[in-house]
Amino acid sequence: MIEYIITALEDPRNRPNKKYYARPAYKATRTLNDAEQHITKASSLTKAETRGVVISLVDYIKQALLDGESVKIDGLGTFFLRTQSEGKNTEKEVSFRDFKNTTIGFKTDAELRKDVARGAQFRKKPKNK
C-alpha cells in the first residue's frame, strides 16, 4: 500500500492562490544492502557476489554512456545521455563547447511501468505519522 500526503503549492498562473496535490509519502529509501539481502535470499549468490555484480553493472552502464551508447536492461528500462546545448545560427558555429548540461536519462520498460500502475493502491497517510 502506498501512502500519500496532500501538498499545497502556489498556482504559477495565479500567484496568491494555491492548488492542492496528492504526492506519495515514501516510508523509506531502500539501499544496495537491502537489494543484496533480497537477491541473496532469492538465489544461490552470496551477499559479496551480489554486491560485485551490482558494482560491475554500474561500472558497465557508466562506461557505455561515456562511449556514446545507451544501455537497455530488459524488464527495467533504458539508460541514455540527455544533453542541452546552445542553438547557433549556422552549422559551422556548432561545437562540443555548446553543451551546457549533460545528465543521465532513464526510460522505464513499458511492462514494468504497466505492472506498477496496475498494482498501485493508495491510501491517505494519517496526520499523526
Side-chain angles (χ1 to χ4, degrees):
M1 183 69 59
I2 303 166
E3 291 186 330
Y4 71 90
I5 57 173
I6 299 171
T7 305
L9 296 174
E10 256 187 23
D11 183 350
R13 292 180 224 155
N14 193 356
R15 288 274 178 206
N17 293 336
K18 292 185 178 183
K19 290 200 173 199
Y20 296 85
Y21 299 89
R23 296 187 179 232
Y26 297 105
K27 297 173 196 168
T29 299
R30 294 195 183 180
T31 65
L32 177 58
N33 193 42
D34 298 326
E36 290 166 357
Q37 290 176 4
H38 177 82
I39 294 168
T40 298
K41 287 179 186 174
S43 71
S44 62
L45 297 173
T46 66
K47 190 175 175 182
E49 289 168 332
T50 302
R51 179 174 288 256
V53 169
V54 172
I55 290 169
S56 293
L57 178 61
V58 170
D59 288 344
Y60 175 79
I61 292 169
K62 178 175 61 174
Q63 190 56 56
L65 294 173
L66 291 171
D67 288 343
E69 300 171 337
S70 62
V71 179
K72 181 179 183 200
I73 300 174
D74 293 333
L76 181 63
T78 303
F79 294 89
F80 56 92
L81 287 182
R82 181 172 292 185
T83 62
Q84 292 177 335
S85 64
E86 188 176 320
K88 300 292 182 175
N89 292 324
T90 66
E91 188 176 335
K92 283 186 172 189
E93 293 178 86
V94 177
S95 79
F96 69 91
R97 291 179 185 88
D98 297 317
F99 285 111
K100 299 299 176 203
N101 192 18
T102 301
T103 60
I104 298 172
F106 179 76
K107 183 171 189 224
T108 311
D109 180 84
E111 198 61 34
L112 175 61
R113 193 170 42 250
K114 288 177 195 171
D115 289 347
V116 170
R118 276 192 295 262
Q121 296 179 10
F122 295 92
R123 74 168 179 225
K124 189 173 179 181
K125 182 177 180 178
K127 291 213 182 234
N128 60 354
K129 283 190 176 181

